[in-house]
């Protein structure tokens, strides 16, 4: 049984009026800073203040393997998961330079890699099992494993929040997780599976067709009601379920959630089926190149900040969008009002 999450609705009418009044009286034409004004309003509501701040941003990468890869649904072999996790520790990955550039602390979590990772101070060992089971043949994980993933994802967020972090990006590493995400998306939105399945890490047309056929068979074999709990247990990856737990806990703690690409957007979708208020804490970093990403963003009525044709994962798109979020906070805190600047209000 999934526990309930006590997420506050940040939309408080009196505060919203005060924030809009402050934003509208900055020395600019009303609405002229566009999305920056929207983001400043959202963050002010989340934090309950007219002067929002961004403190100690972190990017978590949850990593795990998926049993479905034995059906050849991915271009990349399974060992890429642990090899890339090692690369993260050396600072040589895409997310590594982005975290350095934008001042993010990178947190690495072994959620269920099918490999005995050498002990490393940069990797938090929260391994639930050595990869999920093949969901073409049954549930990917047990109910107990699912609940443990949710708890451990929340635990990581608690530790970061205790350090003073109030803005969180989450990424993933797990060969086969676009397949799980496509199934989550189709089950929870009723969008036909064929529109949810894309090239992942570089499949060609024939390989995408094979991937779709495997996933359609897995979906045909799934006869339970399509509740969040049933879908999460049947098709999820350990890294994805830990992400869901992390997102829900971050919202409970009134943290800002920067949402990355296709997989992370599907994790936010899953979290929203458990508690819809989690969406109020989400800022969508980008629209990626995976075929289903635009469809799920549209379903969530989400407006991504960037369109850079990214499909790396790891939190790359959400970290890339951070300077825009920072600009929104600087706008509301550093611009003077017409009264402060002794400028005639001209709108």
């Amino acid at each position: 049984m999934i526990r309930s999450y006590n997420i506050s609705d940040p939309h408080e009418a009196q505060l919203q009026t005060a924030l809009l009044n402050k934003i509208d009286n900055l020395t600019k034409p009303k609405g002229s800073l566009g999305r920056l004004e929207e983001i400043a309003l959202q963050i002010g509501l989340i934090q309950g203040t007219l002067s929002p701040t961004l403190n100690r941003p972190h990017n978590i990468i949850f990593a795990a393997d998926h049993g479905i890869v034995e059906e050849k649904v991915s271009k990349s072999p399974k060992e890429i998961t642990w090899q890339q996790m090692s690369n993260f520790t050396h600072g040589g990955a895409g997310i590594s330079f982005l975290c350095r550039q934008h001042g993010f602390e990178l947190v690495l979590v072994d959620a269920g890699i099918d490999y005995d990772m050498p002990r490393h101070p940069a990797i938090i060992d929260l391994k639930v099992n050595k990869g999920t089971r093949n969901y073409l043949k049954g549930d990917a994980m047990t109910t107990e494993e699912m609940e443990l993933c949710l708890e451990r994802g929340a635990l990581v967020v608690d530790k970061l929040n205790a350090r003073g972090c109030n803005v969180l990006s989450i990424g993933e590493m797990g060969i086969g997780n676009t397949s799980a995400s496509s199934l989550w998306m189709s089950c929870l939105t009723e969008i036909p599976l064929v529109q949810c399945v894309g090239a992942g890490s570089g499949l060609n047309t024939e390989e995408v067709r094979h991937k779709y056929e495997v996933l359609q068979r897995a979906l045909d074999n799934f006869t339970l009601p399509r509740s969040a709990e049933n879908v999460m247990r049947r098709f999820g990856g350990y890294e994805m379920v830990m992400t869901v737990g992390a997102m829900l806990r971050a919202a409970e703690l009134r943290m800002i959630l920067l949402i990355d690409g296709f997989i992370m957007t599907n994790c936010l979708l899953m979290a929203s089926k458990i508690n819809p208020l989690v969406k109020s804490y989400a800022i969508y970093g980008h629209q990626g190149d995976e075929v289903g990403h635009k469809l799920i963003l549209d379903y969530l009525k989400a407006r991504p900040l960037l369109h850079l044709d990214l499909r790396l994962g790891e939190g790359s798109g959400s970290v890339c969008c951070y300077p825009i979020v920072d600009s929104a906070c600087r706008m509301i805190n550093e611009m003077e009002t017409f009264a402060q600047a002794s400028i005639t209000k001209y709108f």
Side-chain angles (χ1 to χ4, degrees), residues 61 113 141 338:
I61 295 181
I113 300 171
M141 64 186 73
F338 288 104

Side-chain angles (χ1 to χ4, degrees), residues 35 39 42-43 46 57-60 62 95 104 157 166-172 181 184 240 242-251 255-272 275-289 292-294 296-298 300-308 310-322 324-325:
R35 296 294 300 279
I39 296 167
Q42 180 183 2
I43 297 175
I46 289 171
H58 283 68
N59 183 74
I60 306 170
F62 293 106
I95 192 59
F104 276 69
V157 172
N166 71 355
V167 55
L168 182 64
S169 166
I170 305 175
E172 39 60 42
S181 297
W184 278 15
M240 295 168 64
M242 281 198 193
T243 295
V244 172
M247 288 178 171
L248 289 164
R249 181 58 180 151
M255 298 171 71
I256 301 153
L257 280 167
L258 304 179
I259 307 301
D260 191 41
F262 180 65
I263 296 154
M264 293 294 97
T265 307
N266 274 286
C267 289
L268 192 279
L269 169 69
M270 180 64 75
S272 74
N275 190 320
L277 286 172
V278 71
K279 292 187 289 185
S280 298
Y281 295 81
I283 297 173
Y284 299 85
H286 74 116
Q287 180 182 308
D289 204 30
H293 197 197
K294 183 181 187 303
I296 190 171
L297 288 167
D298 289 345
L300 290 166
K301 297 180 172 59
R303 298 174 63 208
L305 293 176
L306 304 173
H307 293 75
L308 300 175
L310 303 177
R311 55 183 178 88
L312 175 63
E314 303 176 6
S316 52
S318 49
V319 173
C320 272
C321 87
Y322 181 72
I324 298 172
V325 179

